[in-house]
Amino acid sequence: ESGPYGKLYEFKSRGCFPAEHPYAHTVIGEKEDLIAATLEDVQHWFRKYYTPSNAVLALCGDIDLVTAREKVSHWFGDIPAGQPLARPESWIADITPQRRDRYQAKVANGTLQLVWNIPPAGNPDATLLSLVADYLASGLSSVLVKNLVYVREIASSVQAMVADGALCSQFIISATVAEGQALSALEQSLLEEVYAFLAQPCDDQRLCEVKNDALNLFRDSYKTSAQIAALLSVCQVTLGNADAFRQQLSQLDNASPDDLHQVARRWLS
């Protein structure tokens, strides 16, 4: 929490989710709860969640299936499986319309952050919205960077991203105001750009560039056996299938301007 934006994540969590939602607090927990935790609390937590039935083990490298099974059974086979765990259902929480939170920090220029709750990771809409984020703010020719940073010169930087979650993901646009500009003017300009984007389908040529960039980034991110093992593990844990990434890549590759237009209007209006 020591950085200038250290507590922003906590504020965002509380602002975007009701108190009973699992995402209404930070993953690391509250300071008071950590201080109050007993050794028995920690042991109970460990015995409940850190069990083979709640884990995925990936082996990578020059090893065959028979040897892998033999070694895994030898080293891990005597560990009790653990009790079955209840999995919470997807919960895309409604955010209070026009909710606004202010967070004071010692920074040179103010930053505006717009947040929408969207479907969880693996949902086709969430996958398409990742393309929307790239279309809006990835690269010098993207809509928000070009218009707000270089044409209007009202922002010094703009980013858009999808923060994946198992129960609910978030679509986030962040923009830092340029020197000498007002944060309120940046907000108005940013919203104008978003509304203009929602008004009509995106440019087909620009979308092709965005899709190619996304697919090339995926290819470059998974070149080693360890990286591939991590990909398969994450897909198994979060999406229930080790090769679920293939379906997501297909969705990205086949996305049309109308697909992006429809999903953006459905979730970002």
Side-chain angles (χ1 to χ4, degrees):
E1 298 178 353
S2 59
Y5 291 108
K7 290 183 71 68
L8 184 60
Y9 182 81
E10 178 183 339
F11 277 86
K12 181 172 69 69
S13 299
R14 291 178 177 176
C16 294
F17 299 99
E20 62 273 19
H21 196 286
Y23 293 175
H25 57 81
T26 59
V27 174
I28 198 172
E30 303 293 337
K31 177 181 178 181
E32 294 76 15
D33 294 332
L34 294 174
I35 292 175
T38 66
L39 178 60
E40 185 178 334
D41 293 332
V42 177
Q43 290 173 332
H44 174 73
W45 174 271
F46 187 89
R47 294 189 185 110
K48 181 176 181 179
Y49 292 104
Y50 287 82
T51 61
S53 60
N54 196 38
V56 167
L57 175 67
L59 280 71
C60 62
D62 186 15
I63 191 170
D64 60 84
L65 184 60
V66 174
T67 305
R69 287 187 180 277
E70 176 186 333
K71 289 186 178 295
V72 170
S73 298
H74 174 76
W75 292 107
F76 299 100
D78 62 337
I79 302 175
Q83 61 182 335
L85 296 174
R87 304 292 179 183
E89 298 291 331
S90 170
W91 184 357
I92 310 170
D94 291 330
I95 300 176
T96 304
Q98 305 303 317
R99 171 162 182 149
R100 179 183 299 268
D101 288 301
R102 295 185 182 275
Y103 173 65
Q104 298 292 333
K106 293 182 179 180
V107 294
N109 297 295
T111 294
L112 175 72
Q113 189 173 82
L114 305 180
V115 185
W116 293 262
N117 286 346
I118 63 172
N123 184 289
D125 280 7
T127 302
L128 290 175
L129 284 168
S130 69
L131 278 182
V132 172
D134 290 344
Y135 186 95
L136 286 175
S138 178
L140 300 181
S141 60
S142 62
V143 174
L144 298 182
V145 174
K146 180 178 68 176
N147 292 342
L148 297 181
V149 177
Y150 295 102
V151 176
R152 302 193 189 192
E153 297 183 338
I154 199 169
S156 61
S157 66
V158 184
Q159 297 89 32
M161 63 171 291
V162 168
D164 286 327
L167 307 183
C168 175
S169 299
Q170 291 189 316
F171 189 96
I172 304 171
I173 300 177
S174 299
T176 299
V177 68
E179 190 72 33
Q181 298 288 346
L183 197 60
S184 58
L186 171 60
E187 179 179 2
Q188 181 178 349
S189 298
L190 179 54
L191 290 175
E192 288 174 358
E193 294 293 341
V194 172
Y195 295 150
F197 173 78
L198 295 176
Q200 58 185 1
C202 58
D203 178 74
D204 191 32
Q205 180 58 40
R206 168 63 183 158
L207 176 57
C208 287
E209 296 172 359
V210 170
K211 288 161 62 174
N212 286 335
D213 287 345
L215 294 171
N216 286 335
L217 177 62
F218 179 88
R219 179 198 63 197
D220 294 340
S221 299
Y222 300 104
K223 290 185 174 180
T224 69
S225 58
Q227 291 170 331
I228 294 171
L231 170 67
L232 300 178
S233 299
V234 169
C235 287
Q236 181 67 40
V237 170
T238 60
L239 304 177
N241 191 345
D243 66 352
F245 67 91
R246 298 183 188 276
Q247 183 177 2
Q248 291 181 307
L249 290 177
S250 177
Q251 291 165 353
L252 293 176
D253 195 28
N254 295 318
S256 69
D258 187 61
D259 291 334
L260 262 65
H261 186 224
Q262 294 300 324
V263 76
R265 289 180 61 86
R266 184 155 54 246
W267 292 103
L268 307 183
S269 294

